[in-house]
Amino acid sequence: MPSGHDLKGLIRFLEREEWRECFEEVFDCHLGPVLDAGDIEFDDLAETLGEDWAMTLWGCAFEDFLTQEFDVPGGNVVDAYLKRRGWNERVQTKAYMKALRTSVMSLYEVSDVVPGKSLMARDLVRGGEPVAVSEGTATRTLKQWDRIAARIVPVAGKNILAGGLLPFTPQATDALLDGLRQIFGKKGARKLPTVADHELQAVAFMFTLAWLSDTLQRTAGLPSLQNSDGDDLMFHDVMFPLAKGVTQKDVAARVNAIPAMARENAKFWNWLEDSPGEKENDKPAALRFDTIMDSGQRVLGNVELKGRFLHLSTNSSARADKGGMLLSQALGDRVGAPLTEIRTPEQMIADQRRHGPGDADADIPPEIARQVAHQFLDRQYRETLDQPVPMLGGRTPRQAVQSAAGRQKVVEWLKYLENQSAKHPDPADPVATYSFEWMWNELGVHNLRR
């Protein structure tokens, strides 16, 4: 719970039998369906998600419970508690309890985050202009365009966040909004109608269920990272030792003769697909990673001469096998049996964090490295403006902005790009510092960036 808003006395009040039974009903609405579907207990969530998240979920149910009326003496637990014990509470704490009493859980889009101080929150369910929120803890981790389920409550002339805050992924957001449309919208409606506060209060459990279901699914089986062949990412470094008496020049001549090898310099080649768009795989759960050349051809791997070894670097087992066979046939007895080092994406990230970015380019000034990286990203994203984007229904961004509905999708896409960039683990990395503002201007939607 927020600092200075101690609810321990109110929580102890739950020990009274009439309130304990009422709380159990609310708690079951928030967590019961998912726990039953997974055949797990609440205590298991602490092991799966961590103690902090388990307590946050409990807090979501508790804050919902504080807003409800029950057929018991006192009717509402906050009213009953303040009547009996309010004299023993600080003025600020009583104000916070009263604010929670009438609070509403909703889904908000975060912007203009000032770490340790404040943020702007736009209600994605009820609409309206973004509101300023004073917040010291969550703002240290929240990023531009993050989405959160939360209760914004007014206390002492400021808007603050209650304790039950849940970060929503795009998948959880879609699931929640679809569920709300089914309840409040007309059959087959694509747009969520106006929802009154009392209506939203009645379905607060849906926010918890949507978050918990999405989180448990991702915990049980995270979406795989794949290349565009549909192969799971697994980084292979296949090292061919040069045979005795064989020179780098001999090997380079053989590699140059392979049609699929595009030479970058005397010791480095890009291994390219045979033709642009040679193979596509559309598994929806995967996040795709590949490099595209100016010709439109995908880079399947890289080949490099390093000392007495020829290295093939690629991002899947299938490509390692195919590329290894290609090089073995071309080089014959000029190289020995290859050695292979395999690393998962997680291991690659760990290595980068351990050794620090740019070890190999330590002599390059950071500002130059950043400029080069940003120029590369400029080129990549400028090409993307004329390429089909799945989030835009297969249309290019330039095509999508031609309609009102398309412009809204483009805005969501741009926010997604910015949000993912802002979440880079290294805030000094060129990806994290990249500005997408030119894309908003280029597509004519900068006025919708709010």
Side-chain angles (χ1 to χ4, degrees):
M1 298 298 174
S3 176
H5 303 132
D6 187 356
L7 301 182
K8 291 179 182 177
L10 186 55
I11 292 173
R12 284 196 299 269
F13 207 60
L14 292 183
E15 296 174 5
R16 292 173 175 265
E17 184 176 352
E18 68 272 23
W19 296 118
R20 183 171 66 250
E21 292 178 356
C22 293
F23 176 68
E24 288 174 355
E25 292 178 12
V26 176
F27 183 84
D28 188 60
C29 286
H30 278 256
L31 301 173
V34 175
L35 296 180
D36 291 343
D39 193 25
I40 57 177
E41 301 292 333
F42 177 70
D43 290 343
D44 297 328
L45 293 179
E47 296 182 12
T48 305
L49 305 178
E51 187 69 32
D52 288 344
W53 284 121
M55 291 311 301
T56 297
L57 293 169
W58 187 93
C60 289
F62 177 67
E63 289 171 358
D64 183 20
F65 167 68
L66 300 183
T67 70
Q68 298 195 26
E69 297 277 351
F70 299 94
D71 189 18
V72 297
N76 173 270
V77 70
V78 174
D79 294 343
Y81 176 77
L82 291 178
K83 184 176 181 179
R84 288 173 175 265
R85 303 285 178 82
W87 59 270
N88 198 35
E89 294 287 0
R90 296 167 54 196
V91 172
Q92 187 180 20
T93 301
K94 287 191 287 187
Y96 182 56
M97 291 179 184
K98 290 177 181 178
L100 285 176
R101 166 76 169 86
T102 58
S103 65
V104 181
M105 187 72 149
S106 194
L107 186 69
Y108 295 93
E109 182 179 73
V110 171
S111 62
D112 299 331
V113 179
V114 181
K117 292 185 177 181
S118 65
L119 57 83
M120 298 296 292
R122 183 167 68 94
D123 196 320
L124 298 178
V125 178
R126 293 174 292 177
E129 293 298 315
V131 298
V133 180
S134 297
E135 166 56 39
T137 303
T139 50
R140 299 187 187 281
T141 55
L142 288 173
K143 303 298 183 183
Q144 181 85 345
W145 311 127
D146 272 350
R147 291 174 174 183
I148 58 173
R151 293 173 186 270
I152 297 178
V153 295
V155 178
K158 295 181 179 180
N159 292 319
I160 64 173
L161 294 175
L165 185 153
L166 301 171
F168 264 55
T169 64
Q171 294 77 18
T173 298
D174 290 342
L176 173 67
L177 295 180
D178 285 345
L180 294 177
R181 275 192 290 269
Q182 291 179 25
I183 293 176
F184 299 114
K186 295 180 180 180
K187 187 175 182 180
R190 295 184 178 181
K191 187 176 181 181
L192 185 66
T194 302
V195 181
D197 286 0
H198 72 275
E199 293 176 319
L200 203 51
Q201 280 181 325
V203 295
F205 62 91
M206 291 183 63
F207 293 83
T208 310
L209 291 175
W211 183 90
L212 182 56
S213 178
D214 172 67
T215 301
L216 288 177
Q217 287 180 26
R218 289 185 293 108
T219 301
L222 292 172
S224 59
L225 303 177
Q226 298 179 349
N227 59 31
S228 54
D229 291 332
D231 301 326
D232 289 344
L233 284 191
M234 194 66 69
F235 296 96
H236 289 63
D237 187 8
V238 185
M239 298 166 281
F240 293 86
L242 274 59
K244 186 175 182 179
V246 175
T247 65
Q248 285 192 352
K249 186 176 180 180
D250 294 333
V251 171
R254 290 282 175 167
V255 176
N256 283 333
I258 302 174
M261 296 296 169
R263 181 178 176 178
E264 287 288 324
N265 58 48
K267 297 183 179 182
F268 188 93
W269 297 261
N270 286 309
W271 172 32
L272 305 180
E273 63 180 344
D274 293 338
S275 59
E278 179 185 61
K279 182 177 179 181
E280 278 295 327
N281 184 299
D282 288 326
K283 293 182 181 179
L287 300 175
R288 302 298 173 76
F289 292 85
D290 259 326
T291 300
I292 307 296
M293 300 291 285
D294 290 340
S295 64
Q297 291 174 281
R298 287 174 298 150
V299 178
L300 304 181
N302 302 123
V303 176
E304 185 175 12
L305 277 166
K306 298 179 181 179
R308 296 296 299 168
F309 285 88
L310 179 69
H311 290 248
L312 164 66
S313 301
T314 188
N315 61 16
S316 75
S317 177
R319 288 184 180 179
D321 291 343
K322 182 178 179 180
M325 183 67 69
L326 191 67
L327 290 171
S328 293
Q329 291 176 345
L331 295 169
D333 59 6
R334 291 171 178 78
V335 294
L339 303 173
T340 303
E341 179 184 0
I342 302 175
R343 287 183 291 174
T344 65
E346 292 77 13
Q347 289 170 326
M348 290 281 286
I349 293 172
D351 286 345
Q352 290 174 1
R353 290 178 178 173
R354 184 162 53 247
H355 299 301
D359 275 2
D361 300 316
D363 293 334
I364 301 178
E367 61 274 13
I368 300 300
R370 187 182 306 112
Q371 181 180 357
V372 171
H374 285 179
Q375 289 175 349
F376 172 78
L377 290 171
D378 283 344
R379 186 180 69 179
Q380 290 290 98
Y381 283 120
R382 188 164 294 281
E383 292 174 355
T384 301
L385 298 183
D386 296 300
Q387 295 175 354
V389 175
M391 281 184 67
L392 305 180
R395 291 177 295 172
T396 71
R398 295 191 195 279
Q399 291 171 337
V401 294
Q402 300 306 311
S403 69
R407 282 193 293 276
Q408 190 55 50
K409 287 186 177 181
V410 168
V411 167
E412 295 300 318
W413 174 64
L414 289 172
K415 287 181 176 180
Y416 175 78
L417 293 179
E418 286 193 354
N419 182 251
Q420 295 302 301
S421 177
K423 287 182 176 180
H424 195 282
D426 180 5
D429 188 277
V431 172
T433 60
Y434 185 73
S435 173
F436 292 84
E437 188 166 356
W438 72 269
M439 293 178 69
W440 291 81
N441 290 320
E442 180 91 1
L443 294 170
V445 293
H446 199 277
N447 62 311
L448 301 178
R449 191 179 183 274
R450 59 184 183 87

